[in-house]
């Protein structure tokens, strides 16, 4: 009988959950530093252009005071091809020019709010919060993709998923004179 209050007290202490103070709107450009254990932020990218349909999702999860990143890539043009890279520690500082935070700052500066359509270039989500970034046509989209590819190359330098070999050089056919 003496153990019952102690058991109830210990159970109540362990059942309390810490509510994260992370707020996507306030912490977006410093998310890697401000996320708390148990937080998950997803960055979904639309890499589609013309007749090419592709996307990537970057999932950032904070566990045991370490931020991890997992990447999922998908091409749906002419059949479906996917790739999931395993979780790795995300060690890029928010101040690094090739960090996701600086990429998101760049998108914010270049965002075209008056041109918003149904298809955002980048969507960042945390629980029920989200932030969307848009492009202003094909040239703007490719410029923003190039910046993303530099960030991605910094984190995953050996990821071959979207890399293609150069086409072979053209063969020269000589006409025979009769």
């Amino acid at each position: 009988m003496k153990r019952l209050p102690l058991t109830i007290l210990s159970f109540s202490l362990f059942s309390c959950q810490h509510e994260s103070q992370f707020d996507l709107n306030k912490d977006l450009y410093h998310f890697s530093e401000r996320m708390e254990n148990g937080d998950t932020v997803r960055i979904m990218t639309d890499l589609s252009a013309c007749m090419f349909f592709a996307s990537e999702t970057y999932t950032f999860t904070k566990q045991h005071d370490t931020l991890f990143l997992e990447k999922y890539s998908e091409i749906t043009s002419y059949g479906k091809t996917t790739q999931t890279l395993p979780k790795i520690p995300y060690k890029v500082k928010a101040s690094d020019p090739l960090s996701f935070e600086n990429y998101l700052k760049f998108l914010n500066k270049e965002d075209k709010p008056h041109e918003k359509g149904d298809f955002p270039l980048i969507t960042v989500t945390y629980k029920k919060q989200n932030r969307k970034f848009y492009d202003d046509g094909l040239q703007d989209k490719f410029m923003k993709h190039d910046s993303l590819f530099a960030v991605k190359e910094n984190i995953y330098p050996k990821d071959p998923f979207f890399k293609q070999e150069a086409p072979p050089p053209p063969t020269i056919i000589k006409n025979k004179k009769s």
Side-chain angles (χ1 to χ4, degrees):
M1 187 71 174
K2 290 182 181 181
R3 291 187 181 194
L4 184 60
L6 182 61
T7 304
I8 292 172
L9 177 62
S10 21
F11 180 71
S12 65
L13 288 175
F14 288 114
S15 66
C16 292
Q17 292 184 340
H18 169 72
E19 184 67 30
S20 176
Q21 298 302 309
F22 183 80
D23 182 295
L24 186 65
N25 296 318
K26 291 188 308 188
D27 301 325
L28 179 63
Y29 305 115
H30 300 283
F31 73 86
S32 66
E33 298 166 348
R34 299 200 178 145
M35 286 175 67
E36 297 180 24
N37 287 326
D39 288 343
T40 298
V41 170
R42 283 189 179 78
I43 299 176
M44 292 159 285
T45 65
D46 179 8
L47 302 174
S48 302
C50 301
M51 297 299 289
F52 178 74
F53 302 102
S55 63
E56 288 185 319
T57 300
Y58 298 87
T59 303
F60 295 86
T61 306
K62 184 85 172 255
Q63 297 173 325
H64 307 292
D65 297 326
T66 301
L67 187 61
F68 292 97
L69 172 61
E70 181 177 67
K71 185 178 118 182
Y72 172 79
S73 306
E74 178 177 288
I75 298 174
T76 56
S77 300
Y78 314 108
K80 186 174 181 178
T81 307
T82 63
Q83 168 187 275
T84 301
L85 295 179
K87 269 198 247 184
I88 60 169
Y90 181 73
K91 296 182 179 185
V92 182
K93 300 287 183 201
S95 60
D96 187 316
L98 294 176
S99 69
F100 268 97
E101 289 91 342
N102 272 323
Y103 176 64
L104 296 172
K105 285 179 190 175
F106 162 73
L107 289 178
N108 187 52
K109 185 173 64 171
E110 297 293 323
D111 201 23
K112 311 293 185 197
H114 62 282
E115 297 292 327
K116 289 183 180 180
D118 294 336
F119 303 103
L121 182 70
I122 303 288
T123 303
V124 184
T125 61
Y126 171 74
K127 295 185 179 180
K128 293 182 181 181
Q129 299 176 320
N130 67 55
R131 174 71 165 88
K132 296 178 181 183
F133 298 93
Y134 296 86
D135 63 86
D136 187 23
L138 208 50
Q139 183 177 358
D140 187 47
K141 178 180 269 199
F142 287 151
M143 177 190 67
K144 290 173 179 175
H145 283 173
D146 285 346
S147 296
L148 173 63
F149 293 153
V151 171
K152 182 170 65 170
E153 180 76 19
N154 182 44
I155 299 166
Y156 293 105
K158 296 180 183 187
D159 179 12
F161 192 70
F162 286 106
K163 294 181 183 172
Q164 297 179 351
E165 292 183 27
T171 55
I172 300 174
I173 300 174
K174 295 183 182 180
N175 291 335
K176 286 187 179 181
K177 291 185 181 178
S178 312

